[in-house]
Amino acid sequence: MITLTERQSLILKAIVRDYTEGGNPVGSKSLVQELPMKVSSATIRNEMARLEDLGLIVKTHLSSGRIPSIKGYRYYVDHILKPEKVDSKDLKVIQHSLGGEFHKIDEIVAQSADILSQLTSYTTFTLRPELKDSRLSGFRLVPLGNHQVMAILVTNNGDVENQTFTIPNDLTGDELEPVVRFIDDQLIGLPLQDVLAKLQHEIPFQLAHYLQDPDGFLDIFGSVLSKAASERFYVGGKLNMFNYTTKSDPKEMQSLYSLLDQTDNLASVIGSPGQHIQVRIGNEITNDLLKDYSLITATYDVDQHGQGIIALLGPTAMPYSRMIGLMGAFQRELARKLLDYYRYFDE
Amino acid sequence: MITLTERQSLILKAIVRDYTEGGNPVGSKSLVQELPMKVSSATIRNEMARLEDLGLIVKTHLSSGRIPSIKGYRYYVDHILKPEKVDSKDLKVIQHSLGGEFHKIDEIVAQSADILSQLTSYTTFTLRPELKDSRLSGFRLVPLGNHQVMAILVTNNGDVENQTFTIPNDLTGDELEPVVRFIDDQLIGLPLQDVLAKLQHEIPFQLAHYLQDPDGFLDIFGSVLSKAASERFYVGGKLNMFNYTTKSDPKEMQSLYSLLDQTDNLASVIGSPGQHIQVRIGNEITNDLLKDYSLITATYDVDQHGQGIIALLGPTAMPYSRMIGLMGAFQRELARKLLDYYRYFDE
DNA sequence: TTTTAGCACTTAACTTAATGGAGTGCTAAC
DNA sequence: GTTAGCACTCCATTAAGTTAAGTGCTAAAA
């Protein structure tokens, strides 16, 4: 366990700040000017040498200034940084952007990714509150004429998922009614996960009593169901990547971009953060493509409706203090907004 | 009007081909080796000087080889190029990818953009058959419980658009019924454009007879309606841009990328191509961001269901012959697939 | 009149060399 | 423990030189 003297701590802090703001390695001479104590550059150099021995800062070459190492950022984040109180203007932006009317949870969550990316100029991810406890609360089949039927699935959280299908023969509402009744009787109230499980085994047999050819319907139902039960990350500010990437090789840019595009990868990258704000720096992220970036993740808690995730991807040299403050504020505001929203569906 | 001798034509063709394949300016010595006639490099140089006088080829600097100018590509495309017959493997890919089951026109059209981008390694755009003649053929309001209602709109083309709304008080199907009946009576069968127009004037008054507070409903109806009536380009292979862009400046990349992301811009860029395949090269495209690229556009014709658009964006140095052949094949296959699809909805 | 060989010339791209600036580590004195 | 001084290192930038590919032009050949 590393312990730094007060002065070393101040120096590390200044190096992180300078490098984060200016982007250039920081030398002893420039440090001496802005540090509160009055010592010579030689003294600073001595201290820097010690910080380097500890592995907290590194040189880019033998005679360069220093930049923070991953370990240095880590120490900074864990021991030095104090979360900045969120800027009141930023808070207004958040509140205003979340203040509007929304028709779906997913709209709110998707919009959140956009707001956050706008405020940070980085790339952001959001995941809606987890669906583990989602239960099937309604199922409709609406005949639309012309060989089309729309299947609509509603959960106890008020989520609605729908899909339109083309069927060989037109059906009337009456013909569909037994199926809907079967679902109402047997499946309503069950967790989506359980329904999904049953779909493999019991349901096909049971449905055979109601329908001659249940396969088509099973496809439909399964398709809407898995849509409703799948977890999708929303990504905000994908383009912002261009601002903070260190890569100039288009090839690497492309693979990075694909990573963000295929939202199923994101789950493994982001993982399941704990309750408080987590910062992963450089190679602490379990994905080689991201080893030069930093990832800040946090959950937000919507009481009995479970927890969602917000995350932020940026350069390792980012203003952590401001970002953590911002994430904290967003966490709270989003949770509040969703609680409001869910209030409709609670008794 | 420019006329070239046989030999000049061959030289231009070879320059276009070489440059397209190799990416380097083409010199007289390399040309002399691959041209069918046996002349010296000096002769080729003389001819090249003439082609340069005509503005068909240019030097990148005073003593470099030549590359085709915009005008040169233009001449090549107009007078020299013969569309390559589509590769049978490519055709299979197209047919197979379009062969599956689709639930919506938009799925087919979106998928088309992806197929085409995969085959070409460029960026592609598709637009569904135009909606001008789309008529409103059905409207449903499905109460989902928990303050939610889903509005569903169906057109005579079988397009389905839907949106879920949260409403202050729960309504039963019975309460919604007069509204739906009003629409059935007054608006079914009308072109969407007309309905959209009426929404501004007559409908609000008429609805007042049926509902105390028609505003909420008007919002809902208007929202679904404009969703159904809006034209959306689908974009395929946005990432492919990284392969063919000449830009290394991230800033420019970003604006280019935004252009493709905001699909409303695309309409003005792509315009309304004629019936046959159109090639626009470099500054012939009415957008400065694209002045270093080429755009191939074509309509596809689905009889009375109107025409859609397919388009392809790539470098000016692209294998036009192959691309045009490919576009032609795709045009036919997509039209066929959609005719099949629409057959369901025709009597 | 067209084609060709020959040659002087141009330019980009690459390599090498020179220079200046920012920063470091070390030593010896404070 | 701190500081001044200094030799040293490395990057970045500029300058100069070299090579390879290609051109235009001229004068002779076909």
Side-chain angles (χ1 to χ4, degrees):
Chain A
M1 167 77 197
I2 295 172
T3 324
L4 298 187
T5 66
E6 180 68 17
R7 191 165 70 188
Q8 288 166 344
S9 190
L10 279 170
I11 292 176
L12 178 56
K13 184 174 172 185
I15 291 175
V16 168
R17 182 163 48 74
D18 279 17
Y19 183 61
T20 297
E21 286 172 9
N24 295 315
V26 186
S28 53
K29 276 184 196 152
S30 57
L31 276 177
V32 84
Q33 291 178 4
E34 52 187 289
L35 280 174
M37 57 268 190
K38 50 181 206 287
V39 288
S40 75
S41 65
T43 307
I44 303 287
R45 276 204 291 286
N46 288 336
E47 292 284 38
M48 286 169 90
R50 219 153 314 156
L51 289 175
E52 186 167 14
D53 287 343
L54 292 169
L56 299 177
I57 57 180
V58 292
K59 290 185 275 211
T60 59
H61 59 85
L62 196 61
S63 71
S64 75
R66 309 301 214 294
I67 64 174
S69 67
I70 305 284
K71 202 170 161 190
Y73 282 123
R74 178 84 279 161
Y75 187 93
Y76 170 78
V77 168
D78 290 344
H79 300 111
I80 299 180
L81 161 157
K82 292 210 178 61
E84 208 167 277
K85 198 169 169 336
V86 67
D87 184 86
S88 79
K89 213 154 87 192
D90 288 349
L91 189 60
K92 286 229 179 67
V93 172
I94 297 175
Q95 288 172 337
H96 184 259
S97 311
L98 288 180
E101 283 247 338
F102 292 92
H103 302 305
K104 292 176 89 173
I105 294 285
D106 288 79
E107 276 178 29
I108 301 177
V109 178
Q111 163 110 354
S112 293
D114 285 335
I115 304 168
L116 208 49
S117 75
Q118 210 185 309
L119 288 174
T120 60
S121 310
Y122 298 141
T123 305
T124 59
F125 313 96
T126 57
L127 184 69
R128 44 164 305 151
E130 61 195 8
L131 297 153
K132 281 194 193 105
D133 300 330
S134 261
R135 288 155 187 278
L136 182 63
S137 78
F139 185 74
R140 307 269 193 289
L141 283 173
V142 184
L144 302 174
N146 287 321
H147 306 272
Q148 297 201 99
V149 176
M150 180 181 286
I152 307 173
L153 186 152
V154 189
T155 75
N156 63 327
N157 286 324
D159 296 320
V160 179
E161 206 62 68
N162 73 280
Q163 199 163 339
T164 307
F165 298 88
T166 308
I167 52 177
N169 303 303
D170 248 338
L171 297 172
T172 65
D174 289 349
E175 288 169 286
L176 294 170
E177 204 258 328
V179 181
V180 175
R181 201 177 42 204
F182 162 75
I183 298 205
D184 280 351
D185 290 351
Q186 306 289 321
L187 301 175
I188 291 287
L190 295 178
L192 293 186
Q193 299 298 334
D194 293 3
V195 181
L196 215 47
K198 283 198 176 192
L199 198 63
Q200 307 299 323
H201 310 101
E202 301 149 53
I203 298 179
F205 293 109
Q206 294 175 311
L207 255 184
H209 297 291
Y210 296 81
L211 285 176
Q212 284 181 330
D213 178 21
D215 283 354
F217 170 74
L218 282 173
D219 283 351
I220 296 179
F221 184 59
S223 168
V224 190
L225 185 63
S226 55
K227 235 169 125 183
S230 73
E231 298 200 324
R232 276 190 306 280
F233 276 96
Y234 292 95
V235 184
K238 262 185 286 201
L239 286 174
N240 289 344
M241 223 178 54
F242 289 103
N243 298 327
Y244 61 80
T245 186
T246 54
K247 312 284 166 49
S248 55
D249 178 20
K251 276 263 151 34
E252 261 187 289
M253 286 294 292
Q254 189 170 358
S255 16
L256 190 52
Y257 208 93
S258 322
L259 179 72
L260 307 189
D261 246 7
Q262 302 186 353
T263 50
D264 20 341
N265 298 336
L266 289 177
S268 73
V269 172
I270 293 175
S272 20
Q275 199 151 5
H276 56 286
I277 297 171
Q278 195 190 50
V279 180
R280 257 170 302 165
I281 303 157
N283 58 19
E284 296 170 1
I285 308 171
T286 58
N287 188 309
D288 263 11
L289 278 171
L290 300 179
K291 71 180 183 341
D292 295 328
Y293 302 91
S294 274
L295 185 65
I296 305 184
T297 52
T299 54
Y300 58 90
D301 195 335
V302 203
D303 288 356
Q304 77 272 32
H305 301 287
Q307 297 183 321
I309 298 176
I310 54 181
L312 189 160
L313 181 73
T316 48
M318 67 161 78
Y320 289 99
S321 162
R322 172 164 174 253
M323 290 305 148
I324 291 178
L326 200 54
M327 288 287 273
F330 202 87
Q331 211 178 15
R332 289 189 295 278
E333 294 300 324
L334 180 54
R336 182 185 312 174
K337 173 72 186 181
L338 286 179
L339 276 175
D340 268 11
Y341 185 90
Y342 277 124
R343 199 158 298 147
Y344 269 122
F345 307 103
D346 296 346
E347 243 119 353
Chain B
M1 164 81 192
I2 296 172
T3 323
L4 299 186
T5 66
E6 180 69 15
R7 192 166 68 187
Q8 288 166 342
S9 190
L10 280 170
I11 291 175
L12 178 56
K13 184 175 173 186
I15 291 175
V16 169
R17 183 163 47 76
D18 280 17
Y19 182 62
T20 296
E21 286 171 8
N24 296 314
V26 187
S28 53
K29 276 182 196 155
S30 58
L31 277 176
V32 84
Q33 289 179 5
E34 54 188 285
L35 281 174
M37 57 267 191
K38 49 180 206 290
V39 288
S40 76
S41 65
T43 308
I44 304 287
R45 274 205 290 287
N46 287 335
E47 293 284 38
M48 286 169 88
R50 218 155 315 154
L51 289 175
E52 185 166 13
D53 288 343
L54 292 169
L56 298 176
I57 56 180
V58 292
K59 291 186 275 209
T60 58
H61 58 87
L62 196 59
S63 71
S64 76
R66 308 302 214 293
I67 66 175
S69 67
I70 305 283
K71 202 169 162 191
Y73 282 122
R74 178 85 278 157
Y75 186 93
Y76 170 78
V77 168
D78 289 344
H79 300 111
I80 300 179
L81 162 158
K82 290 207 179 65
E84 209 167 277
K85 199 170 167 330
V86 67
D87 184 85
S88 79
K89 214 156 84 191
D90 287 349
L91 189 59
K92 286 228 179 71
V93 172
I94 297 175
Q95 288 171 337
H96 183 260
S97 311
L98 288 179
E101 283 248 336
F102 292 92
H103 302 305
K104 292 176 92 172
I105 294 285
D106 288 79
E107 277 178 29
I108 301 176
V109 177
Q111 164 109 355
S112 294
D114 284 335
I115 304 167
L116 208 50
S117 74
Q118 210 185 309
L119 288 172
T120 60
S121 311
Y122 299 142
T123 305
T124 59
F125 313 95
T126 57
L127 184 68
R128 45 163 308 149
E130 61 194 8
L131 297 152
K132 283 198 190 99
D133 300 331
S134 262
R135 287 157 188 279
L136 182 63
S137 80
F139 186 75
R140 306 269 193 291
L141 283 173
V142 184
L144 301 174
N146 288 323
H147 306 273
Q148 299 201 98
V149 177
M150 180 181 285
I152 308 173
L153 185 152
V154 189
T155 75
N156 63 328
N157 285 324
D159 296 320
V160 179
E161 206 63 65
N162 73 279
Q163 198 164 337
T164 307
F165 298 88
T166 307
I167 51 176
N169 302 306
D170 248 337
L171 296 173
T172 66
D174 290 349
E175 288 169 287
L176 294 170
E177 205 258 328
V179 180
V180 175
R181 201 179 44 207
F182 162 75
I183 298 208
D184 280 352
D185 291 351
Q186 306 289 321
L187 303 173
I188 292 286
L190 295 178
L192 293 186
Q193 299 299 336
D194 293 2
V195 181
L196 216 45
K198 284 199 175 190
L199 199 61
Q200 307 300 322
H201 309 100
E202 301 149 52
I203 297 182
F205 292 110
Q206 295 174 309
L207 255 184
H209 296 292
Y210 295 81
L211 284 176
Q212 284 181 330
D213 178 20
D215 284 354
F217 170 74
L218 282 173
D219 282 351
I220 295 180
F221 184 61
S223 168
V224 190
L225 184 63
S226 54
K227 235 167 124 182
S230 73
E231 298 200 324
R232 274 189 308 279
F233 276 97
Y234 292 95
V235 184
K238 260 184 287 198
L239 286 174
N240 289 343
M241 222 178 55
F242 290 103
N243 299 327
Y244 62 80
T245 186
T246 53
K247 311 287 167 48
S248 55
D249 178 19
K251 276 263 151 38
E252 258 187 289
M253 285 295 290
Q254 187 170 359
S255 22
L256 190 52
Y257 207 94
S258 321
L259 179 72
L260 307 188
D261 245 9
Q262 302 187 354
T263 51
D264 21 339
N265 298 336
L266 289 176
S268 74
V269 172
I270 292 174
S272 20
Q275 199 151 5
H276 58 286
I277 297 171
Q278 193 191 51
V279 180
R280 257 170 300 165
I281 301 157
N283 58 20
E284 295 170 4
I285 308 171
T286 57
N287 186 310
D288 262 11
L289 277 172
L290 300 179
K291 72 182 184 336
D292 294 328
Y293 302 91
S294 274
L295 186 65
I296 305 184
T297 52
T299 53
Y300 58 90
D301 195 336
V302 201
D303 286 357
Q304 77 272 33
H305 300 287
Q307 297 184 320
I309 298 176
I310 54 180
L312 189 159
L313 181 73
T316 48
M318 66 159 80
Y320 290 99
S321 162
R322 173 166 172 251
M323 291 304 147
I324 291 176
L326 199 55
M327 288 286 275
F330 202 88
Q331 212 179 15
R332 289 189 296 278
E333 293 300 325
L334 180 55
R336 182 185 312 171
K337 173 72 188 180
L338 286 179
L339 277 175
D340 268 10
Y341 185 91
Y342 277 123
R343 198 160 299 144
Y344 269 123
F345 307 103
D346 295 347
E347 239 117 357

